[in-house]
Amino acid sequence: MKKIVFITLSLLLAVSFWNCEKDDICAEGTAVTPRVIIEFYDATNTTALKSVTNLGVIEPTFTTGLSFTGVSKIEVPLRTTADLTSLNFIQNGSDSDTTNDNIDLLTFNYVRNDVYISRACGYKTVFYLDATNPIELIADGNNWIQNIEVIQPNIETENEVHVKIYF
């Protein structure tokens, strides 16, 4: 009788290990929702990277955003709950002096697609910039951004540049 109980408990224990999956924990490095990768270039020498100084990037309705200085490449998240994201790109916007801010409003237009990763990781959202109007720069007569070029409209990873901004 003790032998039967021992064998039964051993089988139950063994079966419980077989039912475990390795993806019960989302492993570090697993693909997540990608951010749009933007590189900055000199508008007069379009092949030369140009560092931004005191760049602030913020959604118009938010009070805090991202700050960048001394970099020529940034990563910016897009909204996963809407098919567009409007962002203020603020020249001199990461310092405390707001009197010298020059705000350019960019609207990213895209289609979203949720991609299943695993039970533990859930879904990630990938973005496909609109073919006819991918990024709209609102002209205000004082734009510091001179031109925008979409390099890769499919934002599926963070391994490549998606957009070039010339200023």
Side-chain angles (χ1 to χ4, degrees):
M1 183 69 168
K2 287 183 183 181
K3 216 177 204 182
I4 293 173
V5 170
F6 177 74
I7 291 172
T8 304
L9 288 176
S10 297
L11 284 173
L12 286 174
L13 186 61
V15 168
S16 69
F17 284 118
W18 285 326
N19 289 333
C20 292
E21 290 186 24
K22 291 182 180 181
D23 68 349
D24 285 344
I25 298 174
C26 189
E28 189 173 325
T30 302
V32 294
T33 296
R35 296 166 288 190
V36 62
I37 308 298
I38 301 170
E39 273 188 338
F40 293 90
Y41 285 83
D42 189 330
T44 58
N45 180 5
T46 58
T47 59
L49 285 171
K50 187 174 180 181
S51 293
V52 292
T53 304
N54 296 329
L55 174 65
V57 178
I58 185 171
E59 280 198 73
T61 58
F62 288 10
T63 56
T64 59
L66 303 169
S67 295
F68 304 96
T69 192
V71 296
S72 59
K73 183 188 290 188
I74 64 173
E75 302 169 342
V76 179
L78 298 176
R79 296 181 62 105
T80 59
T81 57
D83 288 336
L84 66 87
T85 299
S86 292
L87 296 170
N88 285 326
F89 279 66
I90 309 169
Q91 188 178 39
N92 302 316
S94 68
D95 59 14
S96 58
D97 181 10
T98 59
T99 61
N100 64 351
D101 289 358
N102 186 350
I103 302 171
D104 284 358
L105 177 64
L106 298 180
T107 300
F108 294 80
N109 299 296
Y110 48 84
V111 175
R112 298 167 285 136
N113 186 25
D114 292 329
V115 178
Y116 181 74
I117 303 300
S118 68
R119 186 174 71 184
C121 298
Y123 289 83
K124 75 174 185 175
T125 303
V126 294
F127 308 95
Y128 304 100
L129 292 175
D130 184 76
T132 57
N133 188 23
I135 303 170
E136 182 180 359
L137 170 62
I138 305 302
D140 63 7
N142 190 28
N143 292 102
W144 65 272
I145 295 175
Q146 301 300 307
N147 192 24
I148 300 168
E149 181 181 2
V150 175
I151 302 301
Q152 174 53 265
N154 301 336
I155 304 169
E156 299 172 340
T157 69
E158 294 179 349
N159 299 335
E160 58 193 343
V161 174
H162 304 111
V163 176
K164 290 182 179 180
I165 291 179
Y166 301 89
F167 71 102

